[in-house]
Amino acid sequence: MSLSEEKLQRQYTMVDGLSIHDRRSTEALPEDAPIMILIHGLVVSSRYMMPTAELLAPVAHVYAPDLPGYGESDKPDYMLELPELADILCKWMDAVGIERATMLGNSFGCQIIVEFAIRHPNRIERAVLQGPTMNRHARTFGQQLWQLILDSRYEDSSQAPIQAYDYW
């Protein structure tokens, strides 16, 4: 059993006819401990967020969902747009019993969190946005790809297999 499996359990929740997979902390914490929802980036799943989830689990109720179309969640018939992803995240929170939470996002997850905060401001406690996706000085695919290549040298090498699997 890996450290992730000891600290985080897997759950599936039905939302709008889609099964949404998440990983959530199992630590016995005070009821008033903060609730943190980790939002993955484009293409990758919540597996990418596990090192952060493991660090937060001793002090917060941690949830890391795979949004529809990603990871082990159902794939909808069409690609969900940003507003739909924000809304289904809110519905998932309703289904698992979360009223308000701090959200931490990486890459495209930052955009989802910002959209969520605009659409559902009373449901977000705080936002932590790490590496928002779009660089206003690099808007073409080629420029974004080049930026990804440059930034990849700063990535934790242990994440490479997770990224490769999720990209595949």
Side-chain angles (χ1 to χ4, degrees), residues 39-81:
I39 307 298
H40 60 80
L42 187 65
V43 182
V44 296
S45 69
S46 64
R47 290 183 333 129
Y48 183 81
M49 304 297 277
M50 288 306 93
T52 303
E54 289 172 0
L55 291 171
L56 291 170
V59 296
H61 301 284
V62 178
Y63 296 81
D66 289 338
L67 295 172
Y70 298 89
E72 295 187 36
S73 289
D74 283 347
K75 312 305 181 245
D77 294 335
Y78 63 94
M79 183 178 288
L80 300 180
E81 299 287 331

Side-chain angles (χ1 to χ4, degrees), residues 100-146:
R100 288 175 57 87
T102 295
M103 295 187 181
L104 182 152
N106 174 257
S107 189
F108 182 58
C110 297
Q111 289 177 249
I112 296 168
I113 291 170
V114 169
E115 184 71 21
F116 181 94
I118 291 167
R119 297 174 74 81
H120 309 283
N122 60 326
R123 304 297 298 273
I124 187 163
E125 191 77 33
R126 291 176 185 83
V128 180
L129 308 176
Q130 192 282 319
T133 335
M134 188 56 71
N135 177 343
R136 65 186 175 99
H137 300 291
R139 293 193 179 263
T140 69
F141 174 76
Q143 291 169 323
Q144 285 292 306
L145 181 61
W146 179 244

Side-chain angles (χ1 to χ4, degrees), residues 15 17 20 37 68 71 74 76 82 92 95 102 119 130-131 143 148-149 161:
V15 177
I20 297 183
I37 301 174
D74 283 347
L82 199 52
W92 171 81
T102 295
R119 297 174 74 81
Q130 192 282 319
Q143 291 169 323
L148 177 65
I149 291 166

Side-chain angles (χ1 to χ4, degrees), residues 7-11 13 21-27 29 31 33-40 46 49-50 52-54 56-57 60-66 89 92-93 95-105:
K7 289 188 174 188
L8 302 159
Q9 67 181 359
R10 301 156 72 95
Q11 297 285 321
T13 306
H21 170 260
D22 73 76
R23 293 170 171 91
R24 56 184 77 169
S25 56
T26 59
E27 299 271 344
L29 297 173
E31 205 169 297
I35 297 171
M36 302 239 4
I37 301 174
L38 309 183
I39 307 298
H40 60 80
S46 64
M49 304 297 277
M50 288 306 93
T52 303
E54 289 172 0
L56 291 170
H61 301 284
V62 178
Y63 296 81
D66 289 338
L89 177 58
W92 171 81
M93 288 173 63
V96 299
I98 299 172
E99 182 61 35
R100 288 175 57 87
T102 295
M103 295 187 181
L104 182 152

